[in-house]
Every structure is written in structure tokens, then in C-alpha cells.
Amino acid sequence: MLDFEVFSQQLITGLSNGMIIALIAIGYTMVYGIIELINFAHGDVFMLGAFLALTLLGALGMEAWGPSGQVFGVALMLIGSAVFCGGLNWSLDRLAYRALRKSSKLSLLVSAIGCSFVCMNLGLFWGGAPMKVFANGNSAAAPKDFPAIIPQINLLGDGFLRITPGDLLVFAVTIPLMVGLTFMVKRTRLGRAMRAVAQDPIAASLMGIPVDRVIGATFFIGGALGGFASVIYSLYNNTIGFQMGTRAGLDAFTAAVLGGIGSLPGAVLGGLTIGCVRSMSDQYLETRWTNTIVFCILVLILIFRPNGLLGSTRREKV
Amino acid sequence: MRWRPGPIFIILALAALLPLLDVVLPPKMQLCEAVRGVFLYAILALGLNVVTGYAGLLNLGIAAFMAIGAYAFGILTCEIYPFQLGFWPALALTIPIGAFAGFILGAPTLGLRGDYLAIVTLGFGEIVQDVLKNLDVVTKGTQGINPLPAPTFGGSEWTAEDEYKWYYLFFALLVVTVFAVRNLERSRLGRAWFSIREDEIASRSMGIRVERTKLIAFATAAAIAAFAGGLSASVLSSTGEPSNYDFQISILALCIVIVGGIGSIAGVLVGALVMVGLNSIVLVKATAWMAANGIGSQGNVLLSPNNWKFLIFGLALILAVRLKPNGLIPPRIERAKQ
């Protein structure tokens, strides 16, 4: 039985979560596009961003601020996490990846997995830190409640659908970011440099493009988007934990591959698709099978359409 | 030419003599039980070494095949199922079952590029856990399948008290695995794996059937991992819960291979000693010591050595790749290059 009301509601939830996944997926796709590395640590950078947001929220006592103060607070968390995650991602590239540019892809990937584990452990330490902002603080590994400072009301009054300020926030943050990013990649000097490096790093460096700095900037921007995503994720879903990076990372990577890795609109399309598939599966199948379904999508896409829905059909170079 | 003992021989000989050391050590310091874990993970990592070291395909879901082996062993032997085989036939059957599972996953995905394959294997590792947890009708969910049989020699079944018997059983099976893998390495198939790792297109033009050869590497690794899984289920007398075979285990195996020396059997043995030694000897003993001296506390996350695991694994991977890309004991082919 397909109840239209339930279906639409799941669609809204799916689209909101999908936008968040898309924002993370852009981080994967940008880095992959430029140095062909699956940045394993990206999901964990996202996770640390959520912890920073929670710490900011608790340390400044934002829960007690008035409605207008909380708008300011959300903006503060968004900027704080974005700068933090961007900086963290940039440092990972500087410390762990840059020296390996000339090594095999396998070494680079292994280094990224190492970074992912280090970040995950930092999240564990962070979650166990003796701070009064962490509810469920007895165990470091337990998921933490993220205070719902966004009012949980229905903007449509008593209508049959429910759209919360949380849904609006997701779209209000993600859409301008995506538009801005597209503009940056298409129109600005840095964007042109990024595309040049992605196409051929050696030729780009011969044209006077500082390749390492452009790659660093890509990592920063990708990480910053993950930071934005972490704040809206936390405000939307209200629970964070040190292991959430792996799951979010797998979803986002699946989204990036689904849309065609290296393609920005592809990442958005993939994210929205995965978000909707997840919420539909939660509703019409069983929650416990959702991850399995997402994985099956990943495998099927990779087998039948490895370039994704919007990806280019460039073959691997000899 | 005079015969000189190679590194593999020396490591195995030292391992064979370890129980003698245990006899003189006080009970608290005894190592045999922990070293048995080193053997188990060495077998697992030797499997991973076939696919990642020889054939150059990064597999991040090796623990899933270990889980498949453990559950296969459980279902074949436990009294609540119709098969009720003994220890040896069931353990032997984990090998073809693991190979088959590797074939099922590998056949459609091995055409993928290396990094995509890594993600698929990672996802597979997560999904196998989910499926084992969710199919609780068959797998008993988080309870795990138990009790499971131990080997019998001379009529009576072993128990957990037969520490040295278990030790030498693990040791013997490790030796068997080492020889099997070493012979594979030097066979026509092994050369084909190396060749594919170095240059796929060149190998293809030399007449190597790349897909088939990769698939055999994948299935061999899966078979060895499943074998390790069956063994671990037997010694614990339970499959344990599905999350015992999580991403951490796959990463532990990867650390062993990368730190020890990718593609090198002696390297894998040393890597297993270092990484599993850190993981289940140093950390565990440190936790026990700190608890005994009142330093450790549940409240402080930093004071529980167990919480440092991810950091240690992660740093091991980053530093190994950066400083010793060929590992502690590089494979012969790399030593020859230098």
C-alpha cells in the first residue's frame, strides 16, 4: 500500500538527508577529480566537525540564547566547523599525502586509511573529554545527543505534510554553497587552475600553476563543505558519534560514484538519490536492511555504469 | 652452495620453541595464549598478502571472509544444525566455501579499478556483518553459534586447558599455510600475479589471462581467511557476534601486511608479531597493569590503553607507507632491486 502522505513525508526527509550526503560527496569527488585519491579520512573529518560544533554550542551556552541569538549561533557553528574541517583536510594533505604524490596509488590510499583511523581515534578522545556539554558522557564511545536548538515545529501549520525549520536550514545552507562552488570552479582563476591540474598536473605546472597549492586549496574547500555538512547533519539528526564518519563516508562515496566521480552536479544528484533510497528503504522495507541496499546500489553502478550517471567516459590512462 | 636458514625458517623455529620459555616464566608473564593469536592473524594476513601483496589488489574486507569461514564452521558442526560434522572435515570445508564466497564477490567486481575495488570490498565487509546480524533465524544474530567442537586426538576432545596442544595446532597450520603460500608465490600463477601487479596491460599482451588470474588471487585470499575464521571459531567454541569481524580486523590484517612488508611472507610473520603483539599483548597487559596499580579509570578516556588502538593502527599505516614503503622485511624482489 502506497500512502501518498507517508510517501511525500519520506521524500522530504530523504531529500534533506540527501542534500547533506551530497555536500559530503562533493568533498570526495573534488579530491578524487584532482589527484585520483579516495580520501578515506573525509568522513572522519566530517565527524570531527560535528564534535567541534557540539563543543562550541556547549561552551558558549547557545541553548540559553534567544531565537535571534541562536540564528547567530548556527552561523557561528557553520563557519567554525567549516574552517576547522577545511584546515584539517588541508593538513592531512600537507602531512600525509603530499610526500606520496609520486608513490603508487596503493600507498596513497593506505595512507588515507591511516588518517581515517587517526581522526576516528581523535573523535573517540573528544567524545570522552570531561565536558558538561556531552550528554551520555559516561562512555567515550556512546553517541552524543546534539541539542535541538532548531524549533521542531511544522511550518505548514496542521497540514498533512510536515516541513520543519530543519529541512529549510538544510536547503538554505546547501543550495547557495553548491551554486557558489559551481561558480568558483567554472569562473574563477582558482577554479580554472583546479580543472587544469585535474586534467594534467605536469602540463599545469609548466603553465606556471602552483600545483601543490591548488591541490591544497581543493582539500581545504572539500573539507570546509564537509564542515558545513557536519553542522546541518547534527542539527537535523540530533545525534553524533565518533563512528558516524565511516557510514556517512560510505554513503557519500556511493553518491559520488553514482553521479559520476569528478562531477559536481553528479555528486548532488547521487546524494539526493541515496538520501531518498535510504528513507524509502527505512519506511517500506526494514531499517536494518538499508545499508545493504545502498551497498548493492554501489556494486551495481560500478559494474554496469562505472562512470556514473553524469560522469565522463574517460578511460584509465596507460 | 651451503644451506643457510632464511628469515621464514628462523621465525618459525623461534615460534616452535616458545612454549619452552613459558615453562620458566611466571604464570602472569606467559605468552603462549597471546602468541596463538599472532599465529591466527598471521594466517589471515598471509591470505590478504596473496591478493594485496602479490596481485596488488587492495582488499579492505578480508574480515568478511573470516566471518564467512567462522559461520560456515559453526553451521557445519553445531548440534542445532543438521550437518554435525567433526572438527577436521568442517575446517577443511571452510576452504572451498571461502573460495566460493571470494569468487561470488570477485567475479563481478574485479574488472574495476583498484581504488573502486577497495571500496567495494570495504562495503562488502560491512554488509556481511549486517546480513549475519539480520538473518538471525540462521545465524543466531548477536549471540553467535555455539558451542562448537574442538579437535579430538585419541578419543578425547580438547578443552581450553590444553593450551600447548592448541598452540602447536595453530603453529602447525601456520606452517602449512606458509608453505602453501610460498609455493604459490614461486609457481607460474605467482609469477603471473606479480606481473599483473607491475603492469596489467603488459601482462595481458604477454598472454596472461588477467581477469582469471586476479579472480584466483581473490578466491585464494578468501579461502585462507575463511580457514582462519573456522580456526578461530573452534578455539573460542563460538562464532562470536558478527561485529567481531568488523573493519578493525580487516585493517589489522592490512597493517600486518603493510608494516611487515607487502608481498613478503617473512614480513607478514614479523608484521603479525609486531601488530598483534601491540594489539593483544602490549595493550592488554598495559590495561591489566594499570588496573592493578589503580592508574586506569573508566572516567578518563585517555587512560585506557584500549582507546589508543585506532591511533596506533592509523599511525602505523601512515608511517610505514612514508618511511618504509617495502616494510620491515621487504620481499626478495625489492631487496634484489636495491
Side-chain angles (χ1 to χ4, degrees):
Chain A
M1 190 198 70
L2 198 67
D3 186 344
F4 182 68
E5 195 175 326
V6 177
F7 179 80
S8 320
Q9 194 58 59
Q10 287 301 320
L11 195 63
I12 292 172
T13 316
L15 288 176
S16 293
N17 275 318
M19 284 306 254
I20 299 173
I21 296 174
L23 214 49
I24 310 171
I26 291 176
Y28 276 104
T29 223
M30 285 177 75
V31 166
Y32 193 90
I34 204 156
I35 57 170
E36 301 213 333
L37 163 72
I38 298 172
N39 184 12
F40 258 86
H42 191 67
D44 301 285
V45 168
F46 159 82
M47 174 272 296
L48 287 177
F51 272 101
L52 181 83
L54 182 55
T55 308
L56 277 179
L57 190 148
L60 300 177
M62 274 179 215
E63 273 176 282
W65 296 1
S68 55
Q70 283 181 343
V71 172
F72 172 72
V74 170
L76 195 69
M77 283 193 287
L78 282 170
I79 292 167
S81 285
V83 172
F84 171 72
C85 290
L88 184 62
N89 218 20
W90 180 86
S91 348
L92 289 181
D93 172 53
R94 184 72 193 79
L95 297 174
Y97 306 152
R98 189 182 283 189
L100 297 170
R101 294 271 151 77
K102 298 216 163 56
S103 321
S104 73
K105 269 163 87 175
L106 192 75
S107 321
L108 198 56
L109 201 54
V110 169
S111 192
I113 297 168
C115 289
S116 158
F117 265 64
V118 170
C119 288
M120 208 197 285
N121 211 142
L122 294 181
L124 176 67
F125 287 159
W126 202 332
M131 277 190 264
K132 66 175 193 291
V133 292
F134 292 158
N136 303 340
N138 359 347
S139 159
K144 313 280 175 279
D145 293 332
F146 198 96
I149 60 171
I150 306 265
Q152 309 270 12
I153 51 164
N154 189 357
L155 294 175
L156 298 183
D158 287 336
F160 75 110
L161 276 184
R162 198 176 142 81
I163 295 183
T164 62
D167 292 308
L168 280 191
L169 174 79
V170 171
F171 286 93
V173 173
T174 51
I175 291 176
L177 279 175
M178 288 166 185
V179 172
L181 187 72
T182 312
F183 175 79
M184 195 216 73
V185 172
K186 287 238 155 81
R187 293 267 186 275
T188 63
R189 227 176 132 75
L190 176 63
R192 205 181 310 144
M194 280 159 69
R195 281 180 293 141
V197 174
Q199 219 163 58
D200 189 338
I202 295 172
S205 73
L206 290 175
M207 297 298 123
I209 295 171
V211 172
D212 274 334
R213 262 170 54 195
V214 172
I215 295 176
T218 311
F219 269 91
F220 184 89
I221 295 169
L225 293 174
F228 284 117
S230 72
V231 177
I232 50 178
Y233 173 92
S234 314
L235 288 169
Y236 193 71
N237 292 309
N238 299 115
T239 171
I240 65 173
F242 83 104
Q243 280 173 319
M244 75 183 193
T246 313
R247 188 66 249 163
L250 262 179
D251 280 349
F253 181 79
T254 306
V257 170
L258 179 61
I261 201 144
S263 148
L264 294 183
V268 178
L269 180 69
L272 290 176
T273 315
I274 295 297
C276 292
V277 166
R278 284 197 76 91
S279 65
M280 294 304 161
S281 156
D282 283 351
Q283 175 69 32
Y284 295 106
L285 275 148
E286 271 183 89
T287 315
R288 56 184 194 167
W289 288 108
T290 299
N291 290 340
T292 314
I293 287 173
V294 172
F295 171 72
C296 292
I297 292 179
L298 175 66
V299 172
L300 291 177
I301 286 287
L302 283 175
I303 294 167
F304 293 110
R305 216 182 143 79
N307 293 313
L309 299 175
L310 304 180
S312 65
T313 50
R314 190 176 48 157
R315 287 188 58 110
E316 193 166 3
K317 278 173 272 184
V318 177
Chain B
M1 208 166 75
R2 217 160 56 87
W3 179 80
R4 283 173 41 233
I8 300 179
F9 181 84
I10 297 173
I11 296 164
L12 291 181
L14 287 177
L17 295 176
L18 187 74
L20 294 178
L21 183 68
D22 255 19
V23 174
V24 282
L25 284 175
K28 260 193 170 174
M29 307 266 291
Q30 283 180 359
L31 290 169
C32 270
E33 205 182 334
V35 173
R36 207 170 65 200
V38 175
F39 292 163
L40 182 71
Y41 284 105
I43 297 176
L44 180 70
L46 282 172
L48 182 66
N49 189 42
V50 168
V51 66
T52 301
Y54 297 163
L57 305 165
L58 187 54
N59 185 337
L60 297 176
I62 198 78
F65 298 107
M66 193 178 178
I68 289 171
Y71 275 85
F73 183 84
I75 290 171
L76 287 173
T77 57
C78 189
E79 57 211 9
I80 53 176
Y81 297 99
F83 308 102
Q84 297 177 6
L85 296 181
F87 171 85
W88 290 107
L91 190 65
L93 274 176
T94 59
I95 297 174
I97 290 172
F100 183 69
F103 178 81
I104 294 285
L105 177 68
T109 55
L110 279 173
L112 300 174
R113 297 210 301 248
D115 33 16
Y116 281 15
L117 181 72
I119 287 280
V120 168
T121 53
L122 164 69
F124 182 72
E126 299 291 305
I127 293 317
V128 165
Q129 285 177 58
D130 276 355
V131 170
L132 288 175
K133 210 180 299 163
N134 295 345
L135 277 182
D136 42 11
V137 192
V138 182
T139 62
K140 304 291 157 228
T142 50
Q143 294 168 17
I145 301 170
N146 56 60
L148 303 181
T152 46
F153 277 120
S156 63
E157 192 172 299
W158 296 0
T159 61
E161 270 83 74
D162 295 321
E163 228 176 79
Y164 296 106
K165 287 185 189 168
W166 279 112
Y167 182 88
Y168 279 110
L169 174 72
F170 273 57
F171 177 71
L173 293 175
L174 174 65
V175 172
V176 169
T177 315
V178 165
F179 274 94
V181 174
R182 202 187 75 123
N183 284 344
L184 270 178
E185 180 187 321
R186 295 177 183 184
S187 70
R188 187 185 165 87
L189 186 61
R191 310 280 190 225
W193 286 335
F194 288 131
S195 162
I196 289 176
R197 183 186 65 190
E198 297 301 327
D199 193 329
E200 204 174 305
I201 293 165
S203 314
R204 200 185 294 274
S205 61
M206 300 304 282
I208 295 172
R209 294 163 77 174
V210 172
E211 278 76 22
R212 209 181 70 160
T213 314
K214 277 185 180 177
L215 193 54
I216 296 174
F218 209 75
T220 309
I224 297 176
F227 178 70
L231 200 56
S232 104
S234 167
V235 73
L236 297 173
S237 188
S238 164
T239 58
E241 55 177 313
S243 60
N244 285 2
Y245 308 93
D246 63 1
F247 189 45
Q248 256 190 74
I249 301 293
S250 298
I251 289 298
L252 178 59
L254 184 68
C255 282
I256 292 171
V257 172
I258 301 278
V259 171
I262 185 160
S264 147
I265 295 175
V268 169
L269 296 178
V270 172
L273 186 64
V274 173
M275 293 311 303
V276 183
L278 266 176
N279 188 30
S280 54
I281 301 178
V282 176
L283 285 183
V284 170
K285 301 257 175 199
T287 312
W289 182 82
M290 284 169 76
N293 290 282
I295 303 173
S297 79
Q298 293 294 318
N300 190 336
V301 60
L302 294 175
L303 280 184
S304 164
N306 237 345
N307 286 341
W308 291 77
K309 243 184 219 176
F310 295 124
L311 198 72
I312 293 172
F313 288 175
L315 283 178
L317 285 178
I318 297 172
L319 294 177
V321 167
R322 182 77 169 270
L323 305 174
K324 277 213 161 278
N326 292 320
L328 294 172
I329 302 189
R332 286 179 309 152
I333 193 167
E334 297 294 336
R335 269 179 276 164
K337 274 187 201 163
Q338 281 154 13

